[in-house]
């Protein structure tokens, strides 16, 4: 027992020193990294050409409502340009650290700490109130740490009623399994996955979710052959950040090593369950085309092209919704863009293509914008 106590003490000291010293062990793109191949950078489409705008952000679950989190305020400003043809998608981890609070037996009202957690969610729902645009939220692993997401889903549904806005948790439905669900909009079909639920699901439920996803992809391509298919989930299919083992600070490295030594963690792409998830998605998407996969989880902004000429043509990571959570990022041969700053992404879908703009909170204009190459691969 004495040895265990000394080991724990040494661990605490090492962690404290690691986070205090916090030297960089790998470089990070704190300014925009851009490496386009066949993508065109300009000109941007006129507002009248845009059939549908989709704004993507994630991991904003520690955001203040007063003063309003900078990225959320900027998202609302962008969504207000044309709310009737704008959808905002929150890509998970809507409440840090343990999701929507559960009341203890006999507890009548939420306590102060619980109300603060709920305020992180309300800060995001405010986007729908201010802009009038539709807001869709998908759950992340931190949302599921509450053991269930019913509380969050019900809160969002009640908020939508009280404030007369279009806001919902997707693909959640009360009393149902969160199987993949699609919302068809002009020029784009939004497909929502609960990736944390899928990673933790029984083999039967996991298989059922894949079958539903495959059927939805086929249905959309048949009913809306020209639509972009935008699949939204929390866990990325590709990344060059900490969830791929790329750690930019010693403190992160030490923390991850300790956590991995204590738990069988499936939140990183090297984990067999996560790797299977990515492989199964690739198999389904490869049967179609004009697919973009968007996720959060990684606290940075990243754009990846296709490495094998198959769908998804692009994989986006937009999980930099809060500066306090932003983490380092690097690039691979597939990387088109990478940035470690608070911000978000915006897709403008037109009759002639898809235009991607990436914003941070430090510049009025986009820090990068270009046309996505959605046709050359097929």
């Amino acid at each position: 027992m004495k040895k265990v106590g000394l080991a724990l003490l040494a661990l605490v000291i090492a962690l404290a020193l690691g986070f205090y010293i916090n030297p960089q062990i790998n470089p990070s793109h704190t300014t925009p990294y851009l490496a386009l191949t066949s993508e065109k950078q300009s000109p941007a489409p006129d507002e009248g050409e845009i059939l549908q705008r989709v704004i993507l952000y994630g991991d904003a679950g520690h955001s203040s409502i007063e003063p309003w989190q900078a990225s959320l305020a900027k998202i609302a400003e962008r969504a207000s340009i044309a709310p009737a043809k704008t959808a905002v998608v929150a890509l998970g981890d809507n409440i840090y650290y343990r999701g929507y609070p559960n009341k203890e037996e006999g507890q009548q009202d939420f306590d102060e700490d619980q109300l603060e957690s709920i305020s992180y969610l309300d800060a995001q729902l405010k986007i729908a109130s201010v802009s009038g645009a539709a807001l869709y939220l998908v759950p992340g692993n931190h949302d599921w740490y509450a053991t269930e997401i019913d509380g969050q889903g019900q809160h969002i549904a009640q908020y939508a009623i009280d404030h007369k806005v279009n806001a919902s948790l997707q693909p959640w439905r009360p009393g149902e399994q969160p199987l993949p669900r699609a919302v068809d909009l002009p020029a784009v079909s939004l497909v929502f996955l609960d990736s944390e639920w899928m990673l933790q699901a029984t083999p039967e439920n996991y298989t059922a979710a894949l079958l539903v996803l495959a059927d939805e992809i086929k249905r959309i391509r048949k009913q809306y052959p020209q639509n972009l298919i935008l699949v939204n989930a929390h866990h990325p299919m590709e990344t060059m950040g900490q969830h791929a083992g790329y750690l930019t600070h010693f403190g992160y490295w030490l923390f991850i090593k300790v956590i991995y030594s204590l738990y069988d963690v499936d939140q990183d792409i090297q984990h067999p369950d996560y790797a299977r998830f990515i492989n199964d998605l690739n198999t389904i998407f490869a049967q179609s085309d004009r697919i973009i996969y968007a996720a959060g989880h990684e606290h940075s902004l990243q754009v990846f092209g296709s490495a094998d000429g198959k769908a998804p043509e692009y994989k986006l990571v937009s999980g930099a919704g809060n500066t306090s959570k932003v983490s380092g990022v690097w690039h691979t041969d597939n990387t088109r863009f990478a940035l470690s700053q608070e911000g978000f992404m915006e897709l403008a879908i037109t009759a002639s293509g898809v235009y991607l703009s990436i914003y941070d909170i430090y510049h009025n204009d986009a820090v990068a914008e270009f046309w996505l190459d959605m046709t050359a691969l097929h």
Side-chain angles (χ1 to χ4, degrees):
M1 289 297 294
K2 186 176 181 180
K3 288 183 178 180
V4 173
L6 289 173
L8 288 174
L9 178 61
L11 175 60
V12 170
I13 294 172
L15 283 171
L17 287 174
F19 281 104
Y20 178 75
I21 300 171
N22 211 22
Q24 191 174 66
I25 60 173
N26 279 316
S28 178
H29 291 299
T30 55
T31 58
Y33 169 82
L34 196 65
L36 304 182
T37 55
S38 57
E39 295 85 4
K40 301 176 183 178
Q41 286 186 265
S42 60
D46 294 331
E47 185 61 37
E49 297 178 80
I50 299 174
L51 302 174
Q52 185 72 39
R53 176 183 282 109
V54 182
I55 298 174
L56 302 163
Y57 79 92
D59 301 76
H62 200 264
S63 296
S64 62
I65 194 168
E66 186 61 47
W68 204 9
Q69 192 73 31
S71 58
L72 303 183
K74 193 165 185 175
I75 289 167
E77 180 183 351
R78 295 292 307 167
S80 297
I81 294 172
K85 60 177 182 181
T86 299
V88 181
V89 180
L91 295 164
D93 281 0
N94 307 316
I95 303 179
Y96 283 108
Y97 285 92
R98 302 194 62 82
Y100 197 85
N102 296 309
K103 291 180 180 178
E104 300 293 336
E105 185 176 352
Q107 182 181 354
Q108 297 298 316
D109 300 311
F110 288 114
D111 61 32
E112 186 175 340
D113 289 340
Q114 291 172 322
L115 289 173
E116 181 178 0
S117 294
I118 294 171
S119 76
Y120 303 149
L121 177 61
D122 285 343
Q124 298 167 73
L125 293 171
K126 185 178 175 181
I127 293 171
S129 297
V130 170
S131 70
L135 174 63
Y136 304 95
L137 303 94
V138 299
N141 53 296
H142 281 272
D143 300 305
W144 270 105
Y145 291 163
T147 70
E148 48 84 7
I149 58 170
D150 287 349
Q152 184 174 154
Q154 291 161 1
H155 181 93
I156 294 170
Q158 190 61 50
Y159 185 100
I161 293 170
D162 293 342
H163 293 80
K164 297 180 174 58
V165 297
N166 183 0
S168 60
L169 184 65
Q170 296 288 346
W172 175 83
R173 292 293 185 275
E176 299 180 14
Q177 291 181 337
L179 298 172
R181 187 181 301 272
V183 174
D184 299 310
L185 301 173
V188 59
S189 292
L190 304 178
V191 179
F192 300 101
L193 306 184
D194 188 337
S195 55
E196 176 66 10
W197 179 82
M198 291 180 69
L199 286 170
Q200 306 296 336
T202 64
E204 295 77 14
N205 287 341
Y206 178 76
T207 299
L210 292 178
L211 290 173
V212 171
L213 174 60
D215 287 344
E216 279 294 89
I217 298 292
K218 292 176 183 176
R219 178 195 64 79
I220 294 167
R221 197 42 78 229
K222 182 178 180 180
Q223 287 186 274
Y224 305 95
Q226 301 304 315
N227 265 24
L228 170 70
I229 298 175
L230 178 59
V231 181
N232 305 274
H234 180 63
H235 293 80
M237 294 181 67
E238 190 167 357
T239 177
M240 194 55 181
Q242 64 185 24
H243 288 295
Y246 190 84
L247 301 172
T248 54
H249 289 86
F250 178 68
Y252 284 127
W253 176 84
L254 190 57
F255 179 74
I256 292 296
K257 288 293 184 183
V258 171
I259 293 298
Y260 281 14
S261 69
L262 298 174
Y263 300 100
D264 181 23
V265 180
D266 62 0
Q267 296 301 320
D268 293 343
I269 62 175
Q270 299 95 333
H271 190 280
D273 291 344
Y274 197 153
R276 177 192 62 174
F277 173 73
I278 294 172
N279 182 67
D280 290 338
L281 292 186
N282 275 320
T283 299
I284 292 172
F285 296 153
Q287 306 305 310
S288 188
D289 63 358
R290 290 179 55 77
I291 296 176
I292 295 175
Y293 182 90
H297 197 46
E298 203 74 270
H299 300 167
S300 57
L301 301 168
Q302 303 179 67
V303 179
F304 296 93
S306 175
D308 58 6
K310 299 178 181 179
E313 284 86 346
Y314 288 91
K315 286 158 280 188
L316 311 180
V317 179
S318 187
N322 189 297
T323 294
S324 69
K325 300 296 180 184
V326 169
S327 56
V329 67
W330 199 235
H331 63 270
T332 70
D333 291 342
N334 296 333
T335 301
R336 300 292 186 267
F337 176 89
L339 178 63
S340 175
Q341 298 288 1
E342 180 177 337
F344 59 93
M345 297 184 181
E346 180 180 307
L347 294 171
I349 301 100
T350 73
S352 58
V354 182
Y355 193 75
L356 173 65
S357 302
I358 304 162
Y359 293 87
D360 69 9
I361 61 172
Y362 305 105
H363 302 86
N364 290 328
D365 297 328
V367 295
E369 48 190 338
F370 48 90
W371 289 95
L372 299 183
D373 183 11
M374 301 299 298
T375 58
L377 301 177
H378 298 280

